[in-house]
Amino acid sequence: MGELGFTAAPFPEAVGGGGFTYVGWTTVMEDLGRVELAMAVSLSVHILSQFPVLAWGPDEQRARWLPAMLEGTVLGAFCLTEPHAGSDAAAIRTRAERVGPADRPEAYRLTGTKIWISNAPEAERYLVFATLDPGLGAGGITAFLVERGTEGFRFGAHERKMGIRGCPAAELVFDHALVPAANRLGEEGGGYRIALSALAEGRISIAAACVGLARGAVERAARYLWERRAFGAPLAELQGLQFMLAELWRDVMSAQLLVRCAAAARDRGEPIGELSSLAKWTASDVAMRAATDAVQLFGGSGYSRETGIERLMRDAKGAQIYEGTNQIHRLIVADAVLGRAKPG
């Protein structure tokens, strides 16, 4: 993917990127998701871990951290989730303790655990969020750039997932890992804002991959309906199955338009929190329905591991959970709608 330029596609040419618009980037993710969701997720996380460095890092930090990631010669990971902090990101407990003067620390010692970190342990570069003081809530969260091999940083359990297995996920353990102050991204206490801005972009990316999975499921089911014959004719001639396929395609195209609408808003520099949640929630639900119905349309062959259709269903289930559960996205959207209608 690095050789094809995908690992740099949505970044400006001035920093070594491909110069794609975000709408253009969603077409890349959609095509990847259509054939292999796990690789689309891995690439999306790699891109997600670079956006904050580009947006918040000084020139020196960008020059040191980004070139190899843009080339795809090293892999990145985004490290927010903890055992007690999934959807509630402000509740993270991984501590960052200053080393040196409080007003000008020389380094930070990170202590804590991250879980479900996609691309770990394969990734070489980790964007890690830790808190200076859990009592400060979101106001204490700070972002750090941590390299694999840092003393005190190791990997714990590797997740055994139901789907999306081609993208590894593992636990990260920090035991007083020493991170130079030069590797702090942004200001102290600015990590929560950095995380949320990156996640909104990442949700659009994942939504596009989900549209791709749904497209692939419908297209494969349509081909199968022509190949499989019953009662002297192809299954494709049965009106009940035609209607089922048509309704699926309506949902896929609707999700695609919503994803591109969110991406276009991002290209225009508009707020994308609500739209990115709508896109991710809608597209992952459509992916799950399309994959489940594809298994049904394939019948026994769909339930068999030989055709690979059942894998689409397992992969789509994961998409409804990561990048914020779809229940959390309902809350985000409801908040936005009610906020606009609130008196005063």
Side-chain angles (χ1 to χ4, degrees), residues 228-235 237:
R228 182 78 164 87
R229 298 177 65 87
F231 308 107
L235 292 180
E237 294 183 4

Side-chain angles (χ1 to χ4, degrees), residues 8-318:
F11 300 109
E13 292 179 0
V15 299
F20 282 39
T21 63
Y22 217 69
V23 171
W25 172 241
T26 62
T27 65
V28 173
M29 288 301 295
E30 184 178 321
D31 279 345
L32 281 173
R34 181 169 168 264
V35 294
E36 177 53 74
L37 186 67
M39 287 298 95
V41 170
S42 186
L43 178 61
S44 181
V45 170
H46 178 71
I47 295 293
L48 176 66
S49 69
Q50 295 178 74
F51 266 123
V53 182
L54 183 64
W56 304 88
D59 290 342
E60 177 277 328
Q61 213 170 53
R62 293 183 188 180
R64 176 165 49 89
W65 198 258
L66 289 178
M69 297 184 74
L70 292 168
E71 292 171 1
T73 54
V74 301
L75 186 63
F78 188 90
C79 314
L80 185 62
T81 302
E82 298 184 1
H84 302 284
S87 297
D88 183 8
I92 66 172
R93 298 180 184 177
T94 296
R95 290 295 303 272
E97 297 176 285
R98 300 182 187 93
V99 177
D103 60 339
R104 190 178 291 180
E106 301 165 2
Y108 296 83
R109 289 197 181 276
L110 305 188
T111 303
T113 301
K114 300 288 183 181
I115 60 170
W116 283 102
I117 304 304
S118 295
N119 286 347
E122 304 301 328
E124 290 90 353
R125 296 189 175 170
Y126 296 80
L127 175 56
V128 180
F129 296 88
T131 182
L132 296 169
D133 181 353
L136 295 175
I141 297 174
T142 305
F144 299 92
L145 306 177
V146 184
E147 295 189 72
R148 186 173 66 183
T150 297
E151 187 175 353
F153 168 34
R154 61 181 175 84
F155 302 103
H158 296 197
E159 299 296 342
R160 299 178 63 191
K161 299 183 291 182
M162 181 171 79
I164 318 178
R165 294 177 182 170
C167 174
E171 176 186 42
L172 312 184
V173 180
F174 299 94
D175 184 7
H176 296 90
L178 190 65
V179 179
N183 279 26
R184 187 188 73 207
L185 180 62
E187 298 300 318
E188 288 188 352
Y192 191 69
R193 184 181 175 192
I194 291 172
L196 292 188
S197 67
L199 287 171
E201 293 170 331
R203 285 163 182 162
I204 299 173
S205 177
I206 288 298
C210 288
V211 169
L213 184 148
R215 268 186 57 203
V218 174
E219 290 164 356
R220 290 175 69 179
R223 286 195 298 270
Y224 183 77
L225 292 183
W226 280 114
E227 294 166 0
R228 182 78 164 87
R229 298 177 65 87
F231 308 107
L235 292 180
E237 294 183 4
L238 297 175
Q239 192 178 65
L241 300 186
Q242 291 175 0
F243 285 2
M244 189 175 175
L245 209 64
E247 289 170 2
L248 281 177
W249 195 244
R250 172 203 60 192
D251 291 346
V252 172
M253 291 295 97
S254 297
Q256 183 189 71
L257 288 170
L258 181 53
V259 168
R260 293 186 182 175
C261 177
R266 193 267 185 191
D267 284 334
R268 293 191 298 267
E270 298 171 1
I272 58 172
E274 178 186 356
L275 271 174
S276 67
S277 284
L278 276 170
K280 189 272 175 181
W281 157 26
T282 302
S284 58
D285 277 359
V286 168
M288 188 63 195
R289 183 188 164 200
T292 303
D293 283 357
V295 170
Q296 189 71 25
L297 289 168
F298 268 76
S301 296
Y303 199 64
S304 167
R305 294 180 65 179
E306 292 183 8
T307 61
I309 296 298
E310 53 82 33
R311 189 180 76 170
L312 298 181
M313 189 167 71
R314 290 187 285 106
D315 287 352
K317 184 67 241 178

